[in-house]
Amino acid sequence: MAQRTYGGISADERRAQRRAALLDAALEIIGTDGLAKLTVSGLCAQAGLNERYYYESFDSRDAVLSALVDGIAEELAGAIVTALHAAPDDTRAKAHAAITAGIHLLTDDPRKAKVALVAGMATPELRARTNQTVRVFARLVAAEGIDFYGVADPPDPSIDFRATYLVGGLVQTLTAWLQNDLPLTRDELIEHTTDVFVLLGEDLARRLT
């Protein structure tokens, strides 16, 4: 059966628009007022939607947070990969470009950092999801490193170890910086992070090639 359309927009498209509006509203509420302020009524009021549309897309607050964290992770991965491929074919240039893209995406809009690094640890389920996201980014770092340095298969386990160490350490460092526990400018944070990524990457490449 054909879907009913209004103004040339299908029912599925309208549903997607309402879901996006709810996620935008959640980002604003969490990023501005904190996770405790995220309620169904508050979310719907912020989005300008009837509460029945909330249940059309989500069945719990955790579902909203999971969708929000996943969306930011997708943005982050896209920005990092784009920056990597556009950077000169040089170890430091590529590391600096990828780190700059990631940190800028999370800090140009501080609400995103607050959601990804703070709200993402709010419950055991969200912590598990965040840990899985860290693993995904660690695999991305490992794959890019293997490709860049031409490391032969099968990949050495130390590659996965260092990639996980780097990504996990960056998450903790960025969290501390956002909480004003590290007296660094954003540019200094990027430079120091680049130093560490290059140091561990170059050292491992010498060992394995």
Side-chain angles (χ1 to χ4, degrees):
M1 183 179 296
Q3 291 185 334
R4 297 176 65 186
T5 61
Y6 296 91
I9 302 175
S10 72
D12 282 346
E13 288 171 327
R14 292 195 305 277
R15 189 176 300 112
Q17 288 174 349
R18 290 192 291 266
R19 186 176 187 274
L22 287 166
L23 290 175
D24 286 343
L27 179 63
E28 176 62 20
I29 291 170
I30 298 168
T32 303
D33 300 320
L35 182 59
K37 297 295 184 180
L38 185 66
T39 63
V40 173
S41 60
L43 184 59
C44 292
Q46 179 71 34
L49 293 171
N50 187 289
E51 287 190 21
R52 70 186 177 90
Y53 291 123
Y54 169 87
Y55 296 103
E56 172 186 70
S57 296
F58 304 106
D59 59 8
S60 66
R61 188 175 76 157
D62 275 9
V64 175
L65 290 172
S66 294
L68 200 52
V69 169
D70 287 349
I72 293 169
E74 288 175 12
E75 279 188 76
L76 192 57
I80 289 170
V81 170
T82 298
L84 269 172
H85 293 171
D89 195 23
D90 168 80
T91 303
R92 186 173 185 85
K94 285 192 174 295
H96 190 273
I99 291 162
T100 298
I103 290 178
H104 275 232
L105 186 139
L106 289 175
T107 58
D108 284 346
D109 184 349
R111 300 175 306 167
K112 292 180 180 179
K114 194 168 184 179
V115 168
L117 302 175
V118 179
M121 304 300 287
T123 68
E125 293 77 12
L126 287 166
R127 285 195 293 274
R129 198 179 195 90
T130 298
N131 288 337
Q132 181 58 35
T133 300
V134 168
R135 293 291 303 125
V136 169
F137 278 94
R139 286 194 290 271
L140 173 62
V141 169
E144 291 291 340
I146 289 170
D147 181 63
F148 181 80
Y149 290 114
V151 178
D153 289 329
D156 191 282
S158 59
I159 297 174
D160 189 49
F161 166 78
R162 292 202 185 196
T164 302
Y165 183 88
L166 286 168
V167 174
L170 178 54
V171 168
Q172 293 300 318
T173 300
L174 186 53
T175 300
W177 182 77
L178 289 164
Q179 294 171 343
N180 297 315
D181 290 335
L182 289 175
L184 299 170
T185 66
R186 184 169 70 169
D187 286 345
E188 288 171 338
L189 176 67
I190 290 169
E191 291 300 326
H192 288 314
T193 303
T194 301
D195 289 342
V196 174
F197 270 67
V198 171
L199 178 66
L200 291 186
E202 290 283 309
D203 174 72
L204 188 59
R206 285 193 295 270
R207 293 168 183 256
L208 298 180
T209 57

